[in-house]
Amino acid sequence: RWALCLCLCAALLPRPARGLTDRLYCGRRVCYEVLGVNRQASKAEIARAYRQLARQYHPDRYRGEPAGGEGSGAQAAHEKFLLIAAAYETLKDEETRKDYDYMLDHPEEYYRHYYHYYSRRLAPKVDVTIVILVTVCAISVFQFFSWWSSYNEAINYLASVPKYRIQATEIARQQGLLNKTKEKGKNRRSKEEIREEEEEIIKDIIKNKIDIKGGYQKPKIYDILLFQIILAPFYWCKYIVWYCWWIYCFTIKGQEYGVEEKLYIIRRYMKMSQSQFDSLEDHQKETFLERQLWIRENYEVYKREQEEELKKKMAMDPRWKRYRRWMKNEGPGRLTFIDD
C-alpha cells in the first residue's frame, strides 16, 4: 500500500525530464553537446565550434547530397543547422547561458524555466526608455505646431473683425508703415504684393497689441509635454516651498490675504485652471473682489445666484421651450409619424 501511494505521488508531480523539453532552448538535446564543447568552455571556444559546425551543416552545401551521418538530404542538414543555431543563441549570451545552466542543475523547477525562457524571448528588442522618449518628443512637436496653428487662426480671425482691423490700420498709419511712397522702375511691385505686405503689417500689430488668452494664446516652448516632464521636479519643489510659505503666513501668523491670494482662492472655488481664469475680463475679477468671494459663504451665495440666473435664461430661451414641450408631449421613447 505504501508503494502504491509513492507511485501515485510520483505520477502526480510534474516530471522534470532532466530539465529538457521540446519547447525550451535545444529541446531534448544538451546545447553543449550539440556544439561539442563542455560547460566550462569560453565564449571564444563556443563561437569557434559554432562556425565550424555551421560551415559543415549549412543547407546550401547539401543540395541533394547526404548530410554526413546525420540523415540524408538537405532537410536533415537544415534541421541540424537550426539546432546548432539554437545552441549558439543560448550559449553566446551570458544571461541566457546562466539561466540554461541553472535549468540543467535544477531540473525540478519546471515552471521557473518556462518563465525565464519566454520572458527573454518575448522581451522588446528596443529599449523601453528610447520608445518613451521618442513618443514624448513626437507628442511635444505635435503640440507645439498645433498650438501655433490655433494661434494663427485666432490672429486671422481678429484681422477680419472690423473693430480690430480699423484700429490696427490707424496704428500702422501713425507709425508710418502704410504711408510709403509709390515705388517706381524695376523695384515696383504689384498690387497683390503690396496688399499682402499690408495684411502682414496689420496682423503684426494685432499680435503686439492684443493679449490673446486661453486655448488660442501664443504658444510657449515651456508648455509642451517634454519640458513639462523635465521641469516637473522644479515645479514640485516650487509648489512645496510656496505651500509652506502659505501655511506659515496665513495659518500660523494669521496675515490678511493680498489681491493675488484672494484671486487664487476664488479660482480654486470656481475650479478653473490658471489659463481659464486669466482669460476672464478685468471687470469680472474686480466684481469677484468687491463681493469678497474668497470667503466661502459669499461664494456659495454667488454660485446660487448664477445658477438661478442660468435657469431663467434657459426658461426664456425658445429652443429650451421647444425641447421641454417635445419631452412632455412625445419624449424620446415614443413612436410618432411626425416628420419634424
Side-chain angles (χ1 to χ4, degrees):
R1 187 166 54 183
W2 285 104
L4 180 60
C5 293
L6 291 175
C7 292
L8 289 175
C9 293
L12 292 175
L13 289 174
R15 294 178 298 174
R18 298 189 305 277
L20 303 177
T21 61
D22 293 331
R23 289 175 290 179
L24 300 183
Y25 303 107
C26 298
R28 297 288 179 176
R29 299 284 301 276
V30 179
C31 294
Y32 293 102
E33 297 177 357
V34 172
L35 296 180
V37 296
N38 54 38
R39 290 185 60 173
Q40 288 73 35
S42 63
K43 293 182 66 175
E45 294 174 345
I46 292 173
R48 191 183 308 113
Y50 166 72
R51 287 193 295 269
Q52 294 175 356
L53 294 173
R55 287 194 298 267
Q56 181 181 356
Y57 291 101
H58 198 281
D60 292 341
R61 302 190 57 173
Y62 296 96
R63 299 180 183 275
E65 299 179 5
E70 289 291 335
S72 60
Q75 182 63 30
H78 179 70
E79 294 177 358
K80 180 66 175 179
F81 180 77
L82 292 180
L83 183 61
I84 294 170
Y88 179 66
E89 289 293 327
T90 302
L91 302 180
K92 73 175 183 178
D93 183 69
E94 291 294 337
E95 297 297 328
T96 308
R97 183 177 180 180
K98 186 183 299 182
D99 291 341
Y100 184 70
D101 290 341
Y102 187 86
M103 185 185 74
L104 295 178
D105 297 332
H106 304 82
E108 69 280 357
E109 300 182 18
Y110 185 76
Y111 298 106
R112 181 183 185 278
H113 305 324
Y114 262 98
Y115 170 75
H116 281 280
Y117 176 78
Y118 284 105
S119 63
R120 291 190 183 278
R121 287 182 61 90
L122 300 177
K125 302 301 181 182
V126 183
D127 190 1
V128 179
T129 306
I130 298 177
V131 176
I132 295 175
L133 181 60
V134 172
T135 304
V136 170
C137 292
I139 294 174
S140 302
V141 171
F142 176 79
Q143 273 184 326
F144 188 73
F145 284 102
S146 176
W147 288 345
W148 263 112
S149 177
S150 300
Y151 176 70
N152 291 328
E153 288 180 5
I155 295 298
N156 294 333
Y157 170 75
L158 293 175
S160 64
V161 177
K163 172 184 175 182
Y164 301 111
R165 188 176 185 86
I166 292 172
Q167 293 179 3
T169 304
E170 290 296 329
I171 294 173
R173 286 174 179 171
Q174 293 175 3
Q175 295 177 356
L177 300 176
L178 300 180
N179 297 330
K180 296 182 179 179
T181 58
K182 295 184 178 180
E183 300 171 344
K184 297 181 180 180
K186 295 182 179 179
N187 296 328
R188 185 176 181 180
R189 295 176 297 172
S190 63
K191 294 182 179 180
E192 186 67 26
E193 292 176 347
I194 296 175
R195 191 179 300 111
E196 290 179 358
E197 182 181 1
E198 292 178 352
E199 190 71 20
E200 290 298 325
I201 292 173
I202 292 173
K203 289 181 180 179
D204 289 338
I205 293 175
I206 291 176
K207 290 178 182 179
N208 296 328
K209 295 297 182 180
I210 298 180
D211 185 16
I212 303 176
K213 298 179 180 179
Y216 291 91
Q217 64 183 356
K218 187 175 182 180
K220 299 179 182 179
I221 193 68
Y222 296 104
D223 292 335
I224 64 176
L225 179 61
L226 178 61
F227 282 92
Q228 290 292 316
I229 294 176
I230 294 174
L231 298 176
F234 169 74
Y235 290 143
W236 274 106
C237 294
K238 184 178 179 181
Y239 174 77
I240 292 173
V241 172
W242 172 86
Y243 187 75
C244 294
W245 169 83
W246 183 282
I247 296 296
Y248 175 74
C249 291
F250 303 113
T251 303
I252 298 176
K253 297 184 65 176
Q255 296 180 2
E256 294 185 0
Y257 295 125
V259 176
E260 295 296 329
E261 289 76 21
K262 293 175 182 178
L263 291 176
Y264 169 74
I265 296 174
I266 294 171
R267 180 173 67 84
R268 284 189 57 188
Y269 286 161
M270 293 184 173
K271 298 180 179 180
M272 299 175 65
S273 63
Q274 185 65 52
S275 59
Q276 289 175 331
F277 194 77
D278 291 341
S279 62
L280 298 177
E281 300 292 338
D282 292 336
H283 66 86
Q284 291 179 292
K285 297 179 182 178
E286 292 176 0
T287 303
F288 297 159
L289 295 174
E290 290 175 359
R291 299 195 57 174
Q292 298 182 353
L293 297 187
W294 66 88
I295 302 175
R296 188 72 184 187
E297 292 77 11
N298 296 343
Y299 174 74
E300 294 295 336
V301 174
Y302 172 81
K303 183 178 178 182
R304 286 194 295 269
E305 292 177 358
Q306 293 297 315
E307 291 175 352
E308 291 296 330
E309 185 178 352
L310 180 61
K311 289 180 181 179
K312 291 179 181 179
K313 289 182 179 180
M314 293 174 60
M316 299 301 295
D317 192 348
R319 292 176 298 177
W320 279 100
K321 288 182 179 179
R322 289 196 299 268
Y323 176 75
R324 288 194 299 269
R325 191 182 307 115
W326 175 74
M327 289 292 293
K328 180 180 179 181
N329 297 332
E330 299 173 9
R334 296 191 180 186
L335 295 176
T336 177
F337 289 98
I338 300 177
D339 295 333
D340 187 6

